[in-house]
Amino acid sequence: MTTPWPEVRLGDVATIERSGIAPEAIASGTTYVGLENMTSDGRFEGHGPVDAGELASQKFRFSADHVLYGKLRPYLAKIATPSFSGVCSTDILPIRPSGKLDKRFLFRFLRQPSQVAKAASLATGANLPRLSPKVLADIPMLLPPVGEQRRIAAILDAADELRAKRRKSLALLDSLAEAIFLDMFGDPVENPREFEKRTLVELSQRVTKGTTPTSVGLSFSDGGVPFLRAQDLYEEQVDVTRVDRFVSPATHRSLARSVVEPRDVLLSIAGTIGRCAVVPDGAPEMNCNQAVAIIRVGDELRPLYLSTWLRTGDAIRQISGAMVTATIANLSLGQIGRLRLPVPPLNIQDEYERCLNQVRTLRRRMLAGGSAADGLFASLQHRAFRGEL
């Protein structure tokens, strides 16, 4: 599709202003923004006023009229639109749009994945790639009338706000799960309900770990039985559809010690310690490597209660105290078995599982909706700057 919009260079419709200010000239109370204060989703975090003499090198001035563009490692997409004035690191380029270019349109244009990838490809420097101001100014863009720019920016802002609200809702759901645990059981360190404390080995049918097939002369296969690693312990439940390593049925049978079954609690015990997930009901038999512990609970413990407890400060403190750090941090099966936890009555654990499953169902629905919102936003971005909105 062709568009009547003219093509211009960014430098034709905006100015990259590197107005330097010496550190001794920066007054107390001036807002400072470093590259670390800009996130990859276009927000500011942790920025604030500085005292006179606090900053040690020259900075750039900026105002609410600028778009701030992180030139260091441009693939990080550290691009933001301030609503305030201040000074920034010289690794940030303040861009002032002319009257022909809307600030939000420019922000959205620069944040397109295609433009981020293009900027990354044009950066120079092996270890600390930077995009030069001249190269940034030479980037071509289609320029619709200002009114159309504002319309496009408003559509993209609204779509992105929907995505942000979904992210906040997911964070609130995660907080709700934690709140439900504390409400029903109390802080496990203080144990205000005075539940009996028992060791994990007393409460489990089995505490073992996996085996990597190559360590016993066997090999992986292109398909067959899913083979889990620590990185497959996504959030709170194993997602079998995302497992990308397999062993043959014969290899699976030969690794009987490390067979994983539904409702097993899995815990990462080497490298990244403490990732935890429950194998869902209906999952096929699987196998796992030696970095994953398999905890098969007994009749006095429910898997979801245990998996949540393993994320509490009580469990983390015990695990940290027991952990052995050599070349790679690791946790032994004996150390896992000696973990002590409160044991609530089964009816309370069952009620917790019911509540948590309701939260998870809602979370899955929100994630599915979020995927749709992400797809919509990507489509809108692609079409917006081609004159197809």
Side-chain angles (χ1 to χ4, degrees):
M1 176 180 176
T2 59
T3 171
W5 301 344
E7 182 176 289
V8 298
R9 295 167 53 254
L10 175 60
D12 294 333
V13 289
T15 305
I16 300 172
E17 295 185 342
R18 291 177 289 167
S19 175
I21 179 170
E24 61 271 16
I26 298 173
S28 289
T30 300
T31 298
Y32 171 69
V33 173
L35 205 55
E36 68 278 7
N37 302 130
M38 294 168 61
T39 68
S40 291
D41 58 359
R43 295 177 295 109
F44 293 99
E45 283 185 351
H47 60 293
V50 293
D51 294 327
E54 183 178 341
L55 301 176
S57 60
Q58 176 177 282
K59 306 301 175 189
F60 290 151
R61 294 183 178 91
F62 70 87
S63 73
D65 295 329
H66 290 91
V67 172
L68 298 185
Y69 186 95
K71 70 174 183 178
L72 176 65
R73 298 190 182 98
Y75 56 83
L76 294 176
K78 293 200 171 187
I79 307 163
T81 53
S83 58
F84 51 89
S85 298
V87 297
C88 63
S89 160
T90 53
D91 280 324
I92 299 171
L93 299 174
I95 309 172
R96 183 187 294 274
S98 71
K100 297 179 180 180
L101 182 61
D102 179 72
K103 174 182 167 181
R104 295 298 298 178
F105 181 84
L106 173 60
F107 169 72
R108 291 296 176 190
F109 171 79
L110 292 172
R111 287 190 54 78
Q112 293 177 89
S114 60
Q115 289 301 323
V116 172
K118 183 173 185 177
S121 71
L122 295 171
T124 56
N127 297 322
L128 296 171
R130 286 179 168 84
L131 186 70
S132 78
K134 181 179 184 304
V135 171
L136 178 60
D138 282 338
I139 288 178
M141 63 185 300
L142 295 176
L143 190 71
V146 172
E148 180 67 4
Q149 293 177 39
R150 290 174 181 153
R151 185 185 74 86
I152 290 170
I155 292 172
L156 294 177
D157 284 349
D160 206 16
E161 179 63 20
L162 176 62
R163 298 164 71 219
K165 286 179 178 178
R166 288 188 179 277
R167 288 193 295 269
K168 289 178 183 177
S169 297
L170 285 169
L172 287 172
L173 279 178
D174 292 338
S175 300
L176 176 60
E178 180 181 352
I180 292 171
F181 182 90
L182 292 174
D183 181 64
M184 296 184 71
F185 307 113
D187 184 335
V189 174
E190 298 174 0
N191 193 19
R193 313 284 196 274
E194 298 184 346
F195 300 131
E196 179 187 8
K197 285 196 171 186
R198 308 265 297 280
T199 62
L200 190 52
V201 72
E202 294 178 272
L203 297 163
S204 302
Q205 298 179 38
R206 190 181 191 197
V207 179
T208 186
K209 66 178 181 178
T211 305
T212 298
T214 52
S215 67
V216 290
L218 301 170
S219 61
F220 295 108
S221 61
D222 292 334
V225 179
F227 186 84
L228 302 171
R229 295 169 291 169
Q231 53 263 49
D232 295 314
L233 308 187
Y234 295 102
E235 297 172 350
E236 296 176 348
Q237 212 165 38
V238 175
D239 184 350
V240 181
T241 64
R242 298 174 71 173
V243 178
D244 60 2
R245 188 159 289 193
F246 304 89
V247 293
S248 69
T251 298
H252 173 63
R253 288 191 295 270
S254 73
L255 302 175
R257 187 190 76 176
S258 52
V259 170
V260 173
E261 298 178 356
R263 294 183 69 78
D264 282 346
V265 178
L266 307 181
L267 178 69
S268 61
I269 57 172
T272 302
I273 305 291
R275 295 182 73 170
C276 185
V278 177
V279 181
D281 289 324
E285 274 195 0
M286 294 179 280
N287 228 287
C288 64
N289 71 8
Q290 72 273 20
V292 177
I294 306 165
I295 306 167
R296 192 161 298 157
V297 298
D299 294 336
E300 299 176 78
L301 205 58
R302 295 294 188 249
L304 288 181
Y305 170 76
L306 173 59
S307 68
T308 304
W309 177 82
L310 285 167
R311 294 184 179 85
T312 66
D314 185 23
I316 292 168
R317 177 184 56 79
Q318 293 185 54
I319 288 171
S320 298
M323 198 164 57
V324 176
T325 303
T327 305
I328 299 176
N330 63 83
L331 193 66
S332 73
L333 296 179
Q335 290 162 339
I336 296 169
R338 287 191 289 273
L339 296 175
R340 290 178 60 82
L341 65 155
V343 187
L346 281 176
N347 65 313
I348 304 178
Q349 294 187 49
D350 288 338
E351 178 64 12
Y352 174 70
E353 286 208 350
R354 186 186 67 79
C355 292
L356 189 57
N357 280 327
Q358 288 180 336
V359 172
R360 285 179 168 179
T361 298
L362 182 56
R363 193 176 195 280
R364 283 194 295 270
R365 289 174 182 167
M366 293 194 68
L367 282 172
S371 296
D374 288 342
L376 172 63
F377 184 73
S379 174
L380 288 172
Q381 269 191 318
H382 178 71
R383 294 163 54 198
F385 299 100
R386 294 159 52 96
E388 297 175 4
L389 272 188

